[in-house]
Amino acid sequence: SVRWGLIGASTIARQFMIDAIRAQGDGEIAAVMSSSPERATAYAGENHIPLAVSTLDALLGADIDAVYISTTNELHLEQALAAIKAGKHVLCEKPLALTSADARKMVTAAKAAGIVLGTNHHLRNAGAHRAMRDAIAAGRIGKPIAARVFHSVYLPENLQGWRITRPEAGGGVVLDITVHDADTLRFVLGDDPVEVSCFTQSAGMAGSGLEDGAVCIWRFKSGVIAQSHEGFTTKFAGTGFEVHGSEGSLIASNVMTQKPDGLVLLRTAKGEEQLSFDRDDLYTRSVHQFHAAISGQGHPAATGEDGIWSLASAEAALQSASSGRAVKIDPKL
Ligand code: NDP
C-alpha cells in the first residue's frame, strides 16, 4: 500500500484528492500537515485522517511513502525539496513553484534521489482530452493548424483569497489557470510551445496588481498557432477546447473542468461525429498513474518536466504581458 502525507490543509485536497487517494485499492492517508495546529486537528477530524501535525519535520518523520503538496504556491519548492531529501515521493500541485528555475531545482533533486515527482495537471487525465489527443495522433483531423482554448470561469467565493490578494503566494490567473492551458495544449497537440504573446487585465476582482483575466497567443514548434483565454470574473462563460486541422476539426465543450464532463465533436467532410471517451474521475486517474510510477511502471500523468514546461510557459506569458512583446518559451530541459 502507499501511505500518503498531505502537506497543506487545502480545499483541493478536501474536494478531490483525499477521495482520489482512497479510491485506490492501495491508497491510504496517514497524516496531514497544516501550518496551524488547530486547523490541522480540525481538518484531520473532518476528513478521518489519523495524524495531524503542524511542522514539515513531523510530517516527514511519520510512516509515509509519498506526499501530496497543495499549499499556496510559494511554499511548494521548500516543501518538495524537504520531502525529496526525506526519501518521499512527491505529487505536487501546479504551478510547481513560482519560477521555472525553482521548478528545475525540484526535478533535478528528485532525479538525483531516485524519487518520483509528479505535477497535478488534472486535465491530462480527462477522457475528453485523451480522446482528442488520440484523434490527432491518429491523423483524424489531418495536419493540425490552430487551437482555441476557452477557460475563463468565475472564481467561487470560497476561493476568493490568496489567488486575488497575494502576489507573493503566486496569485493571479496566469499561474492558476494559464499553466493548465499550456499543459493541456502540449498534451493534446503532442507539441511544445515556443513563443507566447499575452495581454492581462484586472477586471474588478483581483487586487494588489494581480491579473484576473488573460488572453494568450501561442506558437508551437510544428507551426500550430493557438489562443487561450483564462479568467476569474466571467460568471456566464462556458469552457471549451478546439483544434482545427487540414482534414477536420475537434470541437469540445465544457471540458476545462475538474469533472469528467463535456462533449467532443469531430467534424470532417464526412459530417459530424461525437467521440466517446471514458468518464473516469480525473484526480483518481492522476493518483493511479502516480502509484504505478512509484512501483516502477511508467510515469506520472504529468511529470516534473511537464510542470517545468507549463510554468515556463506561464512565466513567459507574464513577461509578455508586462513587456508588451512576444516572449520565447525555454524550459531549459
Ligand atoms: P486553499 O486556499 O484551500 O489552501 C491553501 C492553503 O491555505 C492551505 O494549505 C492552508 O494552509 C491555507 N488555508 C486554508 N484555509 C485557511 C484558513 N481558513 N485560514 C488560513 N489559511 C488557510 O487552496 P486551494 O486548495 O485552492 O489550492 C492549493 C494548491 O492547489 C495551489 O497550489 C493551487 O494552485 C492548487 N490547485 C490545483 C487544482 C487542480 O485541479 N490541479 C485545483 C485547485 C487548486 P495550511 O496548510 O497551513 O493550513
Side-chain angles (χ1 to χ4, degrees):
S1 82
V2 181
R3 291 172 57 82
W4 286 83
L6 306 182
I7 301 183
S10 70
T11 308
I12 179 71
R14 176 163 46 75
Q15 289 185 335
F16 291 97
M17 291 299 286
I18 290 174
D19 288 345
I21 289 169
R22 291 183 174 148
Q24 315 296 320
D26 57 349
E28 199 181 319
I29 298 170
V32 60
M33 186 212 108
S34 163
S35 58
S36 143
E38 295 77 32
R39 210 158 52 236
T41 306
Y43 195 93
E46 284 158 21
N47 297 289
H48 314 289
I49 300 170
L51 179 64
V53 298
S54 60
T55 68
L56 198 52
D57 282 348
L59 185 92
L60 296 174
D63 177 19
I64 56 171
D65 309 299
V67 298
Y68 167 59
I69 300 178
S70 64
T71 48
T72 47
N73 303 326
E74 84 284 15
L75 301 172
H76 297 175
L77 171 70
E78 183 198 330
Q79 293 167 339
L81 291 180
I84 290 164
K85 202 169 164 194
K88 313 299 181 192
H89 300 292
V90 177
L91 179 56
C92 185
E93 269 306 340
K94 43 49 66 171
L96 279 186
L98 295 186
T99 67
S100 58
D102 281 350
R104 279 193 295 276
K105 287 181 197 159
M106 293 160 69
V107 170
T108 304
K111 229 177 221 153
I115 289 293
V116 177
L117 171 65
T119 311
N120 205 28
H121 278 306
H122 60 295
L123 291 164
R124 283 177 174 246
N125 295 288
H129 293 289
R130 284 183 288 124
M132 284 191 279
R133 177 184 165 93
D134 292 348
I136 291 169
R140 297 192 72 190
I141 62 165
K143 187 175 149 33
I145 295 168
R148 306 172 185 163
V149 182
F150 311 94
H151 200 172
S152 181
V153 298
Y154 188 76
L155 188 66
E157 250 163 61
N158 67 310
L159 294 183
Q160 291 178 20
W162 59 270
R163 280 178 178 77
I164 56 170
T165 57
R166 294 187 59 212
E168 70 284 2
V173 79
V174 171
L175 287 182
D176 199 49
I177 306 183
T178 307
V179 282
H180 280 311
D181 292 348
D183 182 68
T184 311
L185 280 164
R186 276 187 72 233
F187 176 74
V188 170
L189 294 169
D191 196 357
D192 291 325
V194 292
E195 188 172 12
V196 61
S197 193
C198 173
F199 277 8
T200 57
Q201 66 181 170
S202 290
M205 184 187 282
S208 313
L210 284 170
E211 80 289 348
D212 55 25
V215 170
C216 300
I217 305 170
W218 310 86
R219 187 195 304 283
F220 282 76
K221 221 174 257 167
S222 66
V224 165
I225 52 176
Q227 63 187 55
S228 68
H229 176 204
E230 297 87 21
F232 286 155
T233 65
T234 53
K235 277 189 179 147
F236 306 104
T239 70
F241 195 107
E242 300 178 355
V243 186
H244 304 282
S246 56
E247 310 298 327
S249 284
L250 285 166
I251 298 161
S253 50
N254 190 25
V255 293
M256 306 309 284
T257 122
Q258 298 180 291
K259 304 246 171 77
D261 290 342
L263 287 181
V264 183
L265 291 178
L266 171 63
R267 193 182 293 154
T268 65
K270 283 189 218 145
E272 216 163 66
E273 173 191 340
Q274 198 175 307
L275 299 189
S276 63
F277 51 86
D278 74 61
R279 301 280 170 172
D280 296 346
D281 179 76
L282 284 57
Y283 298 92
T284 302
R285 188 176 182 279
S286 172
V287 177
H288 182 79
Q289 297 271 111
F290 193 86
H291 278 198
I294 289 179
S295 68
Q297 292 162 310
H299 302 285
T303 61
E305 283 85 353
D306 293 321
I308 294 176
W309 263 109
S310 63
L311 181 50
S313 304
E315 198 170 60
L318 285 171
Q319 280 163 14
S320 168
S322 64
S323 68
R325 291 161 192 266
V327 174
K328 295 271 189 288
I329 298 166
D330 182 3
K332 300 202 175 79
L333 285 169

